[in-house]
Amino acid sequence: MIRHALFAALAPVLLALPANAQPATPQPPPEQIVAGLSRDDVDITTSFDGSEIIIYGAIKRETRIPAGAPLDVIVTLEGPAQALTVRHKERRLGIWINTGRVSVGAAPSFYVVATTRPLHLILPTAEDQRHRISIPLAMRAFAGPMEVEDAVPYTEALIRLRRASDLYRQDDGAVRLAEQTLFRADVRLPANLVEGVYSTRIFLLRDGRVIDTFRAPIEVRKVGLERWLYRLALEQPFIYGIMSLAIAVAAGWGASAAFRLVKRP
């Protein structure tokens, strides 16, 4: 009786559904990013002193530009993540000792944020936490048990050191947006890059909300003599050490011989 009563209650609902009902397909955003990069690889040679990547694109839309607040664009370029430990030292009884440490599970080796306007004016905290855009949120997670009560001073110290080395940077106003349609960002790369695949992300925002994203990879690799020495140091450290010692001895002997020639009357 219960089964028949349940079927009788659901029958009108089942009959009202279309025979070929399909799940609704997500609609594309009304404004989409169409972008490109001036280059998708960077070669590090012995004379490499930095480079520049031009990230450019347009906003694709089927309707007129919506009224209201203007669009904003955020561009990030992130290097391969690394695990590291941040230590705090204090001077006690005339000796510097480690008094605390924080292990970071994944911190980008390089991270740049470029924006159309100051980041704090266009990116709400909720959107930042969702997409992990700002520099403090670029560090993914902490590794192992926490040995200190507050890890914020340690991460702030790491960010400060990497800012000083030009590895972390926030370039407010570096993205130029024309007529809410065309944009361009010139991202400067320092000389002290590490090898790996770098990730480019572009965020399109309107009214403080991310409405579309775009991703593209950039490969950074050592080439020529630089790559040969790098591979030799990793794969044949003994041979690399002997070669380095021989070069040092030869350089020292050469400098000594030149000095004797100069001193000779």
Side-chain angles (χ1 to χ4, degrees), residues 1 10 36 42 52 57-58 69 95-96 118 128 138 157 197 202 214 218-220 228 230 240 249 261:
M1 293 294 295
L10 292 177
V42 175
E52 189 173 73
I95 302 175
W96 288 97
D128 189 14
V197 177
I202 303 174
F214 176 91
I218 299 175
E219 184 179 2
V220 176
W228 181 78
Y230 177 77
Y240 179 81
V249 171
L261 288 174

Side-chain angles (χ1 to χ4, degrees), residues 98 102 110 114 121 126 129 142 160 169 215 217 232 257 260:
N98 294 325
V102 170
F110 174 78
L121 296 179
Q129 292 176 344
F142 296 103
R160 185 171 62 252
R169 204 167 64 242
R215 296 174 180 265
L232 182 66
R260 287 197 301 269

Side-chain angles (χ1 to χ4, degrees), residues 137-176:
L137 291 181
M139 286 173 281
R140 294 293 186 266
F142 296 103
M146 193 69 67
E147 299 181 3
V148 298
E149 294 183 0
D150 186 8
V152 172
Y154 292 82
T155 56
E156 288 179 345
L158 173 62
I159 292 172
R160 185 171 62 252
L161 292 173
R162 294 205 164 178
R163 281 183 183 271
S165 301
D166 202 25
L167 292 175
Y168 286 1
R169 204 167 64 242
Q170 180 174 317
D171 297 337
D172 290 335
V175 180
R176 298 188 293 275

Side-chain angles (χ1 to χ4, degrees), residues 192-258:
N192 51 343
L193 294 177
V194 302
E195 275 194 309
V197 177
Y198 286 57
S199 174
T200 302
R201 297 184 298 168
I202 303 174
F203 300 91
L204 185 63
L205 298 93
R206 185 178 286 281
D207 295 323
R209 186 172 61 88
V210 175
I211 59 176
D212 195 26
T213 60
F214 176 91
R215 296 174 180 265
I218 299 175
E219 184 179 2
V220 176
R221 61 179 182 274
K222 293 181 172 68
V223 297
L225 179 61
E226 182 80 8
R227 181 167 184 80
W228 181 78
L229 292 174
Y230 177 77
R231 300 305 304 178
L232 182 66
L234 289 179
E235 299 172 0
Q236 302 289 341
F238 178 76
I239 296 177
Y240 179 81
I242 294 296
M243 186 180 69
S244 301
L245 180 62
I247 292 174
V249 171
W253 179 85
S256 177

